[in-house]
Each structure stands twice: as C-alpha cells, then as structure tokens.
C-alpha cells in the first residue's frame, strides 16, 4: 500500500512569491491533515479535510494560506505571497477514521519550504 | 490550553543503555496519546498509541509507553537501545481531530 506522498520535497522561493504544495493521501483515506513545523518549534496543526470539505481550519495562520481538496483526493496548500516566517517543513497526514483504533494519522515525508 | 511537554530536548546514550523519554500533556477531554518517531531522512512513523484499556502500551521495535492518568504522563521506554534508534521522538495528544505535538526529543545512540 502506497503511503502519503508530498511534492515537492524541497522548495526555495523569494519573499513575495507564490508556492503550491501538494499532498496525495493514502488511497481510501477520507481524512487529510496539514501540519507545519517551523525550525526549533513543535509540529503544529493547520487544517483538516473530510473528503473535499474543510472540517477544521483553526490552525491556518492567516489568509495568505489557501488549502483545497477538490474531488476529495489530493490536496494543495498555496502560500501567496510567501513571507520569511513561512519557512519550515509542511507535513501532510491522512487517516481512515477520526475516532477509534482506525484514526491513526499517517504522515508524508514533508515539504521543506525556504523563503529567502 | 492544550499542550504537550517533552522534558528532554536531546538525549545521548550508549548502546544497550535503557531509555525513558518524558511526556506530559494538558488536555481536559478523552485522552488519545501517541508517540511518533522520525529517523534521519525518513518521514514520521507511529511508534505506539494509547486509546483505552491497559495503560501499558507496547509498540514497534521494543518500545513501550505507560499512561499514568494521575500524572498526566505518557513516558516512552525501551530497556536496551540500539544505534538504529537514533532519531527524533515526538509525543502527541489528540485534541478533537488534530494532533498536538511536543517539541520533540532527539536521541543519539553511540555504538
């Protein structure tokens, strides 16, 4: 079974540019999550999709971040315009359920974003 | 506020030494607890999880963790570490559907 995949693995952009990160969850997982780890800090929740619907976007830092999951399959996270403080590793995770033993979140390898 | 505290930022051990990584959480709801590990160059992997029942949870690669409700703790243990256990370890509590992570503990094992 293929795991969660993310693209690109690393992105270097200049302040003010736009970057789009992509996540492909495990097949059949309706739940998709985005997290971010800024250097030296803890991994922080950004948002949660159930299929194509945003269930919880309480962790999104501001309106420069836009997440979509059209068709309920892969998801994109766009940062526009990027700022220096957006640098970090962006993780995607997916799960089959949100309760019980099957709600384990499986993580992708992350996208390292560097804003210069 | 919900939070997870990992006491040690960096732990250095020799092979065969015993390991205990501390984790304390602050959360008022039903507690689901996790330990994840990130080996160098790899993605986050689940080591073990606690949902209910036996507070002593066994995970992969010989790791175990004990949920002590009265102490709000979920410490990770391994009786004898190996060089291959060198990694960063994250404790997390599930709040709603989101995971709240600690800052992580880097474990370095020398052979």
């Amino acid at each position: 079974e293929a795991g969660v995949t993310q693209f690109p693995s690393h992105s270097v952009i200049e302040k003010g540019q736009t970057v789009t990160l992509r996540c492909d969850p495990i097949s059949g997982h309706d739940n998709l999550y985005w997290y971010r780890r800024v250097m030296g800090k803890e991994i922080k929740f950004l948002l949660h999709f159930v299929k194509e619907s945003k269930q919880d976007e309480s962790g999104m830092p501001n309106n420069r971040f836009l997440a979509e999951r059209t068709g309920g399959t892969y998801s994109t996270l766009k940062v526009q315009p990027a700022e220096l403080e957006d640098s970090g590793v962006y993780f995607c995770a997916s799960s089959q359920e949100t309760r019980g033993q099957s709600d384990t979140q499986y993580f992708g390898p992350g996208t390292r974003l560097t804003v210069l | 506020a919900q939070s997870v505290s990992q006491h040690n930022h960096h732990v250095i051990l020799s092979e065969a030494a015993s390991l205990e990584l501390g984790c304390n959480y602050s959360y008022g709801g039903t507690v689901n607890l996790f330990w994840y590990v990130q080996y160098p160059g790899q993605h986050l992997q689940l080591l073990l999880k606690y949902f209910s029942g036996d507070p002593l949870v066994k995970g992969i690669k010989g790791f175990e963790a004990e949920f002590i409700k009265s102490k709000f703790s979920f410490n990770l243990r391994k009786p004898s570490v190996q060089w291959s256990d060198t990694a960063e370890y994250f404790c997390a509590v599930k709040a709603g559907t989101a995971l709240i992570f600690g800052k992580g503990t880097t474990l370095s094992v020398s052979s």
Side-chain angles (χ1 to χ4, degrees):
Chain A
E1 175 184 275
V4 177
T5 58
Q6 293 186 246
F7 182 83
S9 58
H10 195 177
S11 179
V12 181
I13 61 172
E14 292 191 349
K15 176 182 170 181
Q17 289 186 321
T18 298
V19 63
T20 300
L21 314 181
R22 173 172 169 143
C23 168
D24 286 77
I26 293 171
S27 177
H29 282 193
D30 287 340
N31 296 278
L32 187 149
Y33 312 80
W34 283 98
Y35 291 84
R36 176 174 75 170
R37 189 183 193 193
V38 172
M39 192 166 63
K41 304 277 190 178
E42 62 272 23
I43 300 168
K44 283 199 169 178
F45 168 79
L46 296 178
L47 88 160
H48 169 215
F49 282 100
V50 178
K51 297 184 180 179
E52 67 275 7
S53 299
K54 291 176 187 173
Q55 199 71 14
D56 180 358
E57 49 184 330
S58 61
M60 293 288 264
N62 53 60
N63 59 10
R64 294 186 294 103
F65 290 75
L66 175 64
E68 294 180 322
R69 193 182 181 196
T70 307
T73 54
Y74 71 90
S75 173
T76 58
L77 179 65
K78 181 190 286 188
V79 185
Q80 180 182 30
E83 298 289 345
L84 298 178
E85 64 264 25
D86 301 332
S87 295
V89 181
Y90 290 77
F91 293 101
C92 177
S94 71
S95 71
Q96 201 168 20
E97 303 289 343
T98 58
R99 292 182 181 180
Q101 294 288 340
S102 297
D103 85 341
T104 299
Q105 295 182 24
Y106 296 90
F107 282 78
T111 294
R112 182 174 295 277
L113 174 65
T114 303
V115 182
L116 302 176
Chain B
Q2 303 140 353
S3 65
V4 174
S5 176
Q6 292 185 238
H7 312 304
N8 311 99
H9 178 61
H10 193 179
V11 173
I12 302 171
L13 294 173
S14 300
E15 275 194 314
S18 64
L19 170 72
E20 181 160 2
L21 301 182
C23 172
N24 286 90
Y25 64 91
S26 171
Y27 182 61
T30 301
V31 173
N32 296 152
L33 294 157
F34 304 80
W35 276 97
Y36 281 85
V37 60
Q38 187 170 27
Y39 298 102
Q42 297 188 28
H43 59 273
L44 278 162
Q45 301 173 37
L46 181 69
L47 262 183
L48 48 79
K49 61 185 180 184
Y50 171 80
F51 279 73
S52 62
D54 189 345
L56 185 61
V57 180
K58 295 193 183 298
I60 61 171
K61 303 187 181 186
F63 286 91
E64 66 179 30
E66 185 175 12
F67 169 53
I68 303 179
K69 189 174 181 179
S70 60
K71 294 184 179 181
F72 300 92
S73 70
F74 190 56
N75 292 354
L76 181 71
R77 299 193 293 248
K78 186 171 184 178
S80 175
V81 295
Q82 301 172 314
W83 176 81
S84 58
D85 293 324
T86 294
E88 191 166 15
Y89 293 79
F90 298 90
C91 181
V93 64
K94 193 159 172 283
T97 57
L99 291 174
I100 298 173
F101 285 89
K103 288 189 175 182
T105 298
T106 299
L107 172 65
S108 300
V109 180
S110 58
S111 56

